[in-house]
């Protein structure tokens, strides 16, 4: 892990990575497996299965890394409550607990900032399909630097933070 300067704390199937094997990154998740995609009879090309294959299994709420370990952390936790993990969406993205989602996301933010080096960057990705971004950002005391909306319905937010720099001074 010594040469890993980036942590993807909830890597899933590494969907947004240009290089899904980038050796600068430690890809971690709480699950692993493969899900074949069912094909319509009209499809001529086979769709590859969804593969979740982290370098390390961990719980984003309690990560096994030393404080100040990474220059850059990506935090893309599950965005939806109570989705079945046997569905394609559930398998790709995971699911939040209806009862504990606030505590889980709060703990995830805390852990991401704990393992992030001083003045390191955290990129947080969130989709508002179930829970508004403002409710999620209220779960951390860190101040976002900037953000960007994307997606067909502009519900996906990419938010950047710098650890320890919350005020001008």
């Amino acid at each position: 892990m010594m040469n890993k300067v980036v942590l993807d704390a909830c890597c899933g199937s590494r969907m947004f990575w240009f290089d899904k094997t980038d050796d600068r990154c430690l890809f971690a998740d709480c699950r692993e497996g493969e899900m074949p995609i069912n094909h319509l009879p009209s499809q001529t090309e086979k769709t590859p299965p969804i593969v979740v294959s982290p370098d390390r299994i961990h719980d984003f709420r309690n990560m096994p890394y030393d404080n100040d370990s990474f220059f850059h952390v990506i935090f893309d936790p599950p965005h939806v409550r109570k989705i079945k993990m046997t569905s394609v969406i559930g398998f790709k993205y995971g699911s939040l607990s209806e009862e504990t989602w606030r505590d889980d996301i709060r703990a995830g933010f805390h852990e991401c900032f704990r393992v992030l080096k001083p003045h390191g960057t955290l990129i947080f990705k969130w989709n508002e399909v179930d829970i508004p971004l403002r409710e999620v950002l209220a779960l951390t005391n860190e101040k976002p630097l900037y953000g960007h909306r994307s997606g067909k319905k502009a519900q996906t937010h990419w938010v950047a933070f710098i650890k320890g720099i919350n005020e001008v001074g």
Side-chain angles (χ1 to χ4, degrees), residues 93-114:
Y93 299 105
S95 181
L96 293 171
S97 162
E98 179 70 33
E99 296 79 28
T100 64
W101 75 267
R102 284 181 181 85
D103 293 335
D104 296 340
I105 298 297
R106 184 180 292 113
F109 270 124
H110 174 75
E111 282 295 282
C112 286
F113 284 111
R114 181 186 67 77

Side-chain angles (χ1 to χ4, degrees), residues 13-28:
S13 60
R14 309 178 191 192
M15 291 187 334
F16 56 78
W17 283 87
F18 292 125
D19 178 358
K20 294 180 187 310
T21 62
D22 194 313
D23 62 2
R24 298 169 292 180
C25 184
L26 176 64
F27 295 97

Side-chain angles (χ1 to χ4, degrees), residues 34-71:
E34 186 173 305
M35 176 182 271
I37 302 296
N38 296 330
H39 307 291
L40 298 172
S42 61
Q43 286 181 311
T44 57
E45 293 185 30
K46 185 175 180 180
T47 303
I50 300 166
V51 177
V52 176
S53 179
D55 299 328
R56 183 156 191 187
I57 300 289
H58 77 189
D59 181 337
F60 70 75
R61 300 167 300 180
N62 184 18
M63 295 190 275
Y65 317 113
D66 292 337
N67 294 349
D68 307 328
S69 294
F70 301 95
F71 287 99

